[in-house]
Each structure stands twice: as C-alpha cells, then as structure tokens.
Amino acid sequence: MGIELTVNGRASTVDCDPETPLLYVLRNDLELTGTRFGCGTGACGACTVVMDGAAVRSCDVPLSVAAGKRITTVEGLAEGEDLHPLQRAFIDEQAVQCGFCLSGILMSAKALLDATPHPSEADIRRALDGNLCRCGTHVRILRAVRAAASAR
Amino acid sequence: MSDTGTRRTDLPAGLRAYPRLDRWLAFHPDGTITVFTGKVEIGQGLHTAFAQIVADELDVDVGLVRVAPVDTAHSPDEGVTSGSRSIEEGGTTLRHVAAEARGALLDRAAARLHATRSELTVADGVIRSPSGASVSYRELASDDLLAREVTGDVPLKATVERRLIGTTVPRLDLAAKVTGAPVFVQDLRLPGMLHGRIARPPSYDAALRAVDGAALEAMPGVRAVVRDGSFLGVIAEREEQAIRALQRARRVASWDERTALPAADPRFLLNEASEELVVRERHHATALDRAAREVTAEYSRPYIAHAAIGPSCAVARLDDGRYTVWSHSQGVHQLRGDLRKVLGVGADAVRVIHMEGAGCYGHNGADDVALDAVLLARAVPGRPVRVQWMRDDEFAWEPYGPAMVVRLAARLDDHGDVVDWRHDGWSNGHGNRPSARSPENVAGVLAAAHLARPFAPSAPPPPRTGSSAAQRNAEPLYDFPNERVVNHHVARTPLRVSALRSLGAHANVFAIESFMDELATVSGSDPVEFRLRHLHETRGRAVIEAVRDRAGWRAGEKGDGRRGRGLGFARYKNAAAYVAVIAEVELDEAIRVTRVWAAVDTGMVVSRDGVVNQAEGGIVQAVSWALKEAVGYDEHRITTRGWAEYPILTFSETPEVEIALIDRPDEPPLGVGEAFAGPVAAAIANAVANAGGLRLRDMPFTRERVLEAMA
C-alpha cells in the first residue's frame, strides 16, 4: 500500500514505512538528491524544502506528515529552463564555495521571498539563521538574496 | 618564475614526475580539451581556476576546457590537495603543459601554412599566417600530438599577453549547484546500491565486548552485519533501515571503555612530556644591553573541528577481487595506499575516484569513511555500498585541529622597541594523513585501529620544516635583533588530531599579533605604527598600510568602551599570501564582530573573484573559530556530538567584509585560503582590548570567557 506524495507539482506513490523521514524518500525514492543530509536533527538546514509555503527541515518530517502537502525542492525551483530569480542572483554574485548548504539556503530564501517580497536585512538574516554554512560564504549569500529580492 | 624559457630543473615537481604531456592534457575531435590534474576540487573553485589557466595559455575559450575527475586509474599523483598550494603547484604545472601544447600546435601549423612560427598568431583556437590562411587546433590535434615529454624550453605567456588570468571567470560548477544536480559523492546512486552505517565505539579506545548480531540481521531490510574486532557495521537495502539498525546496534552492543581524556583546557599540554625543537635562534648582544623592561603573556586555542556541513561519505564496490571507491579524499593516491595496506592487496586491486564532498578545511573523515565503505563492500561482493557518517560520528571521530598553548616574552628598550623575543609553543603534530608515515602505520584511516588484527595508530610526527605543523608562522616576520622560537612537540595525542586549515599558524599568529598589540600599548605606541616600525619587508608593509587606509584607521584611535577596532597581520607560512586585517567589534557581555576590512597580496591573481571569495570565506570562518568554537569532552568521551554543542557563526552574526586586493601580476601566485585564520583572531582580540581594555588570550572568546575576564 503506497503513500501519495506531491513534489514539484508531480504526484508519486511511495512504498515505504510512513515514519520514514521525507529527506530519504526525496533522495532515494524520487532521486531528488539536491536536498541534502547534514545533521538529521533539523539543526543545520541542509535538507530544507518548502512545504505548503513554509520552509521545513525534511529530515524532521515523516512521510506520513508530508503526504497530501505541496512540496517544492531545489529541483523544482526553476521553471523549465528559466532559472528562479534566486538561482540567477546566486550565479551573478558567485555566491558559492562548496555549495553543499546551497539547496537548503535557496529554499529558505524562497519561502522568505514568497511570504515577504520586500524583506529587510534583518528579515533575510533571520530567515537564514537556521541554515549553516561552513565555508563562510555568508557575505555573498546575503548579497545574492538581497539582489533577488530587489529584482522582483 | 621566469617568463622567458624555463630550464628543466626549474620545472614544477609534478612535471618532473610526469613529464609526458598527454598525462595532463587531451584534445578531442569536437574541439573540447580535457585537463588531467592530481589536485582535487574541495569547494575552493580550483578546477575553474585550472580551466582558466589552461584556456589562457592555449588561447581558447574557457568553455571548451573540462577538468577530469581525479582518479587513481589515470591522474598524476600531485600529493594531497592541501596547504593552499594548489594554484602554486598544480596551476603552474598546467601553465607549462598548456604552453608546450600550444608550441607543438604552432609547429604543426607552421608546416601546414608554410610560415615560420613567429609569424603565426593565435586566437580562439585558430592559428593564422600573415597571408590570411588559417588552421584550427581541432584540425591539428591528433593523438600523437602530446605523446612526448615536456621540454621546458617553451616560454610561458608574458603578463601583458594574458587574457584570462587575473580576470574573473564564473565558476564552472555553479549552474549544477544552484539547480540541485547530483554533484557530490553523497549524491552518487549506483544500480543495486546498499546503505551502510558504522556503530562506532562510545569512546576512543573502547573495545566491543558483545553484540547480538542475529537481532540486527533480523531487522527489516538488513542485508548484513559486519563485525571485525571492535569495528561494527550494518548494511541495509534502504538508508533509513540502515540508520534504524545503527540505532539498535548502539543500544544492544556492550563495550569496555578505558579512555582517559585530559583536562578540558589546552594547558594540559604544559604537563605532557615534550620534545624541544628550536625553530629559530638569533643573537645580538649589544641590542640585548638596551633591554629595559620585560613583558610576558600566554595564549591558547582549543581543539577545533573541521565540522563540514555534509558528513563524510563514500561508496565502494568489490568486483572480482577489485575494489572501486568513490571518495572526497584530498589525496586519492595516498588513500589508495592506506586501503591497500589494510586490505593486504596489490596496487591494481584498489581504484579510488574522486568526487566532491562538502567543503573541506583539512584532514577530515573523508579517508576514514572510504575504509568503512570498503570493509562493508567486502561483505556483499558485486553490490555497491554507500556509507555516510551520522552527524555525531563526524563530530566525535574526525581528527581535530590540535589544541595549542603559546607563551611569549619580549624585552623592550627605552624607546619601546623590541630587542628580544621569545616564543614557546606547546602542541601535538598537525599532520596524520594517509601514507604520511611508515608502511605499517595507517593512522589516516580510522577503522584500521578497530579491526581484530589492528593497525596501531601512531601520533602525528614532529614538524620537519620551520613552516610545518605547530611551527607554521611561529617565526615572526618582524625584525627583532634577538629571537628564540621553540616548539615543544607533544607526542601523546589523547584526542585524535590532524591537519586543520592553517595548522599552527592559527595559534601562533593569534599569539604574536595579540602580543604585538600588548607591546604597542606598553610602549605607548599606535599598533599600526608599532608594527611598521618593526617590519622592513615591503610587501608586508604594503598590506598593513593598505588596510589602514581602507579602514580609515586613525593613529592612536581608541574605542568607546563598547566599540573598538584592532589589527592583525601575517604572511601565511612566511612564504604565501600577505594579509592584514582590521576588525571592528561591539562588546557588551558577548562579542559581536560587525565589520572586517582586509588587504591581501597573493602575488599574481589568477581568478580575481576566486581570491575575494576565498578571502571572505577565510575571514568569516576565522571569526567563527575565534568567537565560538571548541570541541568539548569529559574524562572519557567526546561530548561534542551535534551543532547544539558546537555552534558556528550564523547569518545574523556575520560581519560586513571589505577586501582590498593587491595584484602583483609579475610575482608567482600564492595561496590564500588559509591565510586569514590567525590575523582575524588577533584582530578581534585586539579590537576587544581597544574597545574596553579587556585582553582575551584564550580562544574561543565566548560570553562566559568575557564575563570571566571582566570579573
């Protein structure tokens, strides 16, 4: 008996334990590996996806809770060939070092901009405080999110 | 580096070891070019810089250049990618290779176009003669073109001829990374792949007494339980099943614990047996006669974790006695060496293929998890096994940057000039990578010590050169007439340690640059002026002056009790990039770094934005180390198991950063990634002292430390 899941506008049926964290279903069943494991305890933000408009840590969301919700992962951010303004801004600002934390940061920023199209500096920083970056790319990540916000 | 003809003996070491051009470069019929390098991408944008170097020297579009993944099957062994040496070593090698390839193409074109070489011009991979006839690289490059050795006679492009070096080429890996494409080893998916997890001992030397393997094997999805001495791993069909089996294994296994850890203060090192290594000694008797007063101070840093955001991961598969391993190791050849030792197999039985992992700042768990994956793959031949460490494994088992204590003593004359300088540092060694030691020692791969027939781990060796390990940047760059710099090498390593970004330079520069500020205060001097007074090195002076001007430093400026600014300076390794930093802090009970100005001289700039990006990252990470980071432990166990116990700098705490780049296109390129750790730490401590007179000498500068110092 499968569980129905809608990710990036596409419905799929997944056959596994309903307590399985959404993260592993995304990565291993749907092969959407852009959402990444960082800590498994919701503390680093590497696995952030947008669920019904809110940024959530997919390592902390059981499949049973995700079922029936609208889920967007980093792979669903662009529309076809058209990159999302956040993705374009991150390229323009070269806002990456290793990029491992990047998917989660993009998704936290997306949730912020969808809810608050004209965020203040404090809004941006607060929205990203649940996302850790170890390479120290913070300065240009902030610049990229600001740029994406003002481009809207 | 000479731009006009390099003799063979001057060639980079990589080219002397692998002189054939086709080891490094290949032209393809579709016009694309592949670069083979031994230096791996670890999140620093290195392969983009390599493509840029090759495209510039060859005169082709950078979009045509691909850098092949590093693979023991075909990549040159250029040693471990570390120490901010990749552009200097790997990049310089590739410039020579590309220049020679271009020369070979010009020779062929000259024959084809009936012209002399000097008459030919090259643009965008097309060679033209004065008559207007042309031929492209594609037409000229056949398989035998590069089937020859480097001559060393082909001149590299002169500075004025460069088109790409010194500009910013957008990162080649960025489009894939912003769209979430599978680029990391963590993302590798192979047909039939299983998932493994390792149930580590609860403390370093704990021995596995008993575990109910049958109970674990009966769990849903579990395919095998691997036990070898105190090494315990589980393999399952699905990742979450492997994790559940791991959680159960942790509950049901019983261990004999015997680890005794030292006091949680780096000063335990002072009571350990140590070997005294004199790094530098300089005597000037008449200067010493002027000594009027002595100042002493003691500084420390704790154990610091690499703490990559993505825990270490590897995939391994055993087919017909041969292992293939996908790994984010910094040295695939070195890792292969250690895997072979543990497995007891021949050279062709192990192949290691590099894939990117999360950002790497030194020797982390990448090599360890590769052995874990191999040991599990051995139990399920033909099936690839993916092992990823859990977050707590990563924190508890990665090799940390060693704790250090530095004692400084200086004597000043009546003018406040330093006439005598003494530096005593206490530290473990800082390098314990695969293949760093004797054939028997495989300390670089963790699980080797846990097997039923264990390979005893040995401690990192004492430094071999003045700039290695704990001795890195122990020698001040200033001109002091009398000096004695001593490293007290502590061999016993109660906590697992190895290379962390900047090695001993972090603590040494923190101590030296903090102490210079303390001496400036004692002698009633401005800290910028005090440093310049003791420094004759032109490029060093230039970065200090540049950051002073950029930040608008006013001679003798003082903080207002709440806000302050401070300076830190170093030339990394006394041989790489020069950096000077001014930090601004806000102080109430906790310290907030609000702004950082930096001036950096990396010689020839290859990628302008690459340098700025590395500089910004180095600064922000250094702020995090200085303010927040220390590995925690009690008498027996590491207690740092997650981000709650090991907070790092957040977005809200990130300072504004401003970089002034001094490009010296005629000087060799110098590494920059690690150069900021010490200068930033000192600049913060100096800014705190400047704000309110509080002198912090022990990192990290947490709220508790500030309150302690205020009391």
Side-chain angles (χ1 to χ4, degrees):
Chain A
M1 195 191 67
I3 297 171
E4 288 238 347
L5 198 62
T6 306
V7 180
N8 301 331
R10 191 173 306 161
S12 352
T13 306
V14 182
D15 198 11
C16 66
D17 186 334
E19 287 313 298
T20 303
L22 174 61
L23 171 67
Y24 300 113
V25 175
L26 293 174
R27 291 181 58 81
N28 300 330
D29 295 285
L30 306 184
E31 296 187 4
L32 297 170
T33 54
T35 303
R36 298 199 167 90
F37 172 84
C39 67
T41 57
C44 76
C47 66
T48 305
V49 299
V50 176
M51 189 163 82
D52 281 354
V56 298
R57 315 299 176 212
S58 65
C59 71
D60 238 5
V61 177
L63 180 57
S64 55
V65 172
K69 306 264 178 24
R70 276 184 308 113
I71 295 158
T72 309
T73 70
V74 68
E75 291 91 345
L77 206 45
E79 290 187 26
E81 296 290 295
D82 285 341
L83 292 183
H84 188 278
L86 276 164
Q87 291 170 313
R88 282 203 301 273
F90 272 70
I91 291 175
D92 291 345
E93 299 293 339
Q94 295 283 295
V96 70
Q97 284 195 49
C98 80
F100 197 91
C101 67
L102 193 58
S103 305
I105 286 175
L106 285 166
M107 298 319 286
S108 290
K110 175 190 159 53
L112 167 73
L113 297 190
D114 286 351
T116 315
H118 302 288
S120 67
E121 177 69 18
D123 290 337
I124 295 175
R125 289 180 180 239
R126 223 178 0 252
L128 297 182
D129 269 342
N131 293 82
L132 299 179
C133 163
R134 186 55 166 162
C135 296
T137 321
H138 304 63
V139 177
R140 45 185 68 204
I141 288 172
L142 290 169
R143 209 183 294 146
V145 177
R146 266 179 238 133
S150 60
R152 290 166 83 94
Chain B
M1 184 190 324
S2 161
D3 274 330
T4 51
T6 310
R7 282 191 308 280
R8 282 204 66 146
T9 49
D10 301 337
L11 288 171
L15 266 179
R16 292 201 302 271
Y18 301 93
R20 270 181 62 119
L21 296 178
D22 53 9
R23 280 307 295 260
W24 302 94
L25 202 62
F27 290 88
H28 305 296
D30 64 356
T32 59
I33 295 161
T34 303
V35 173
F36 303 99
T37 171
K39 297 285 186 186
V40 301
E41 177 68 57
I42 52 178
Q44 77 285 54
L46 182 66
H47 284 187
T48 300
F50 281 176
Q52 190 176 355
I53 284 169
V54 167
D56 197 340
E57 205 65 45
L58 277 174
D59 278 318
V60 296
D61 187 291
V62 70
L64 294 175
V65 183
R66 304 266 178 281
V67 181
V70 179
D71 182 337
T72 55
H74 60 67
S75 298
D77 178 2
E78 290 189 272
V80 174
T81 304
S82 68
S84 296
R85 294 174 286 119
S86 302
I87 294 284
E88 282 169 73
E89 294 176 2
T92 304
T93 292
L94 292 175
R95 278 188 78 197
H96 281 276
V97 169
E100 299 248 342
R102 186 174 186 272
L105 288 159
L106 281 169
D107 283 339
R108 286 193 173 180
R112 180 87 70 99
L113 303 176
H114 309 292
T116 62
R117 243 181 78 160
S118 60
E119 295 173 332
L120 299 174
T121 56
V122 189
D124 244 349
V126 177
I127 303 175
R128 286 194 166 76
S129 75
S131 70
S134 69
V135 61
S136 69
Y137 283 0
R138 271 163 92 157
E139 295 167 80
L140 293 170
S142 54
D143 286 346
D144 59 339
L145 178 78
L146 302 179
R148 58 180 191 77
E149 295 203 351
V150 63
T151 63
D153 299 335
V154 179
L156 302 176
K157 268 192 178 180
T159 310
V160 295
E161 296 173 290
R162 293 180 198 142
R163 295 170 304 111
L164 289 171
I165 292 179
T167 67
T168 292
V169 166
R171 286 270 297 262
L172 301 173
D173 52 345
L174 212 45
K177 284 180 176 173
V178 299
T179 52
V183 289
F184 298 105
V185 69
Q186 284 87 349
D187 304 336
L188 182 64
R189 290 289 173 280
L190 297 173
M193 190 171 83
L194 299 169
H195 294 270
R197 288 294 184 278
I198 313 302
R200 294 275 180 227
S203 52
Y204 281 126
D205 306 307
L208 181 56
R209 196 188 315 136
V211 63
D212 182 355
L216 298 176
E217 274 165 7
M219 290 181 70
V222 172
R223 288 290 159 266
V225 175
V226 177
R227 182 180 173 182
D228 186 341
S230 293
F231 176 82
L232 178 63
V234 292
I235 306 172
E237 288 289 340
R238 293 181 57 90
E239 191 165 11
E240 70 275 9
Q241 292 169 335
I243 293 170
R244 272 190 215 117
L246 164 68
Q247 288 160 345
R248 178 123 184 232
R250 283 177 172 172
R251 283 197 303 273
V252 301
S254 55
W255 304 83
D256 292 316
E257 290 195 64
R258 55 194 172 212
T259 302
L261 297 179
D265 178 328
R267 284 172 184 77
F268 84 86
L269 290 164
L270 303 173
N271 303 319
E272 295 279 310
S274 64
E275 179 187 352
E276 193 171 297
L277 302 160
V278 178
V279 186
R280 181 154 86 186
E281 210 160 11
R282 182 143 71 188
H283 293 288
H284 191 295
T286 52
L288 211 51
D289 290 344
R290 300 203 305 272
R293 63 188 301 183
E294 183 171 46
V295 184
T296 62
E298 186 176 283
Y299 305 87
S300 75
R301 79 150 196 181
Y303 291 98
I304 297 179
H306 299 81
I309 295 294
S312 302
C313 181
V315 180
R317 188 178 60 210
L318 171 63
D319 306 287
D320 303 326
R322 288 165 194 246
Y323 293 89
T324 308
V325 186
W326 290 264
S327 164
H328 55 110
S329 169
Q330 284 175 276
V332 291
H333 293 277
Q334 291 67 26
L335 170 59
R336 177 173 68 167
D338 266 18
L339 294 177
R340 283 179 48 208
K341 283 182 231 167
V342 176
L343 297 167
V345 298
D348 58 350
V350 180
R351 174 182 179 189
V352 183
I353 301 168
H354 183 265
M355 284 184 74
E356 272 188 72
C360 166
Y361 324 99
H363 178 194
N364 56 20
D367 298 304
D368 300 324
V369 74
L371 176 59
D372 293 341
V374 161
L375 291 172
L376 296 193
R378 189 161 64 175
V380 285
R383 299 285 300 267
V385 180
R386 176 185 184 273
V387 179
Q388 179 161 16
W389 281 9
M390 304 304 286
R391 186 78 249 162
D392 50 0
D393 293 330
E394 190 78 21
F395 270 123
W397 289 96
E398 65 147 285
Y400 309 122
M404 287 177 70
V405 178
V406 178
R407 273 185 191 159
L408 295 174
R411 286 193 270 181
L412 305 172
D413 66 13
D414 285 332
H415 308 290
D417 288 338
V418 177
V419 293
D420 183 35
W421 178 275
R422 266 201 77 122
H423 178 126
D424 287 275
W426 283 261
S427 175
N428 287 141
H430 288 238
N432 222 9
R433 291 179 185 277
S435 295
R437 305 298 306 281
S438 65
E440 303 77 47
N441 183 0
V442 285
V445 280
L446 177 67
H450 297 160
L451 301 177
R453 293 177 56 201
F455 295 77
S458 73
R464 287 185 306 274
T465 67
S467 81
S468 67
Q471 294 172 187
R472 183 163 291 176
N473 280 88
E475 300 168 71
L477 211 58
Y478 300 105
D479 313 296
F480 302 138
N482 288 282
E483 273 179 353
R484 186 172 154 83
V485 178
V486 178
N487 172 22
H488 303 262
H489 173 76
V490 177
R492 193 178 82 91
T493 52
L495 276 74
R496 186 176 188 229
V497 294
S498 192
L500 171 72
R501 215 173 195 190
S502 84
L503 309 184
H506 181 227
N508 288 327
V509 172
F510 163 59
I512 292 169
E513 288 296 300
S514 295
F515 198 50
M516 284 299 279
D517 245 57
E518 297 199 50
L519 296 177
T521 305
V522 166
S523 70
S525 309
D526 173 72
V528 174
E529 185 274 325
F530 186 76
R531 283 177 177 80
L532 292 173
R533 204 160 94 203
H534 288 90
L535 183 67
H536 291 101
E537 244 254 8
T538 343
R539 289 171 73 179
R541 293 178 64 91
V543 288
I544 294 176
E545 287 162 352
V547 81
R548 174 197 64 195
D549 298 345
R550 188 62 172 258
W553 178 271
R554 302 175 313 278
E557 75 170 55
K558 277 273 164 264
D560 61 3
R562 210 174 150 258
R563 237 170 226 279
R565 301 204 296 176
L567 172 72
F569 159 76
R571 180 181 194 192
Y572 184 49
K573 298 188 208 177
N574 289 346
Y578 296 82
V579 305
V581 173
I582 289 178
E584 177 188 72
V585 301
E586 266 181 36
L587 177 70
D588 55 64
E589 281 172 2
I591 298 167
R592 212 171 101 80
V593 177
T594 47
R595 226 169 143 182
V596 177
W597 297 262
V600 50
D601 167 1
T602 63
M604 175 179 96
V605 172
V606 173
S607 172
R608 187 161 279 279
D609 192 63
V611 172
V612 173
N613 199 352
Q614 281 289 295
E616 288 174 355
I619 288 167
V620 171
Q621 192 178 67
V623 171
S624 183
W625 287 6
L627 294 186
K628 313 188 90 161
E629 300 185 27
V631 174
Y633 52 91
D634 61 21
E635 301 88 66
H636 308 291
R637 295 178 175 186
I638 303 295
T639 53
T640 292
R641 298 268 166 173
W643 294 113
E645 299 90 53
Y646 198 90
I648 62 173
L649 206 71
T650 64
F651 279 90
S652 286
E653 296 164 333
T654 301
E656 302 297 321
V657 178
E658 226 180 280
I659 313 282
L661 208 55
I662 301 176
D663 188 3
R664 298 189 185 273
D666 296 318
E667 299 286 345
L670 301 171
V672 64
E674 308 171 277
F676 289 93
V680 167
I684 295 170
N686 294 338
V688 172
N690 178 267
L694 195 65
R695 177 52 68 176
L696 298 172
R697 299 192 185 91
D698 298 303
M699 289 189 272
F701 314 139
T702 55
R703 190 168 175 275
E704 294 69 36
R705 282 267 163 78
V706 174
L707 290 172
E708 233 169 74
M710 282 173 166

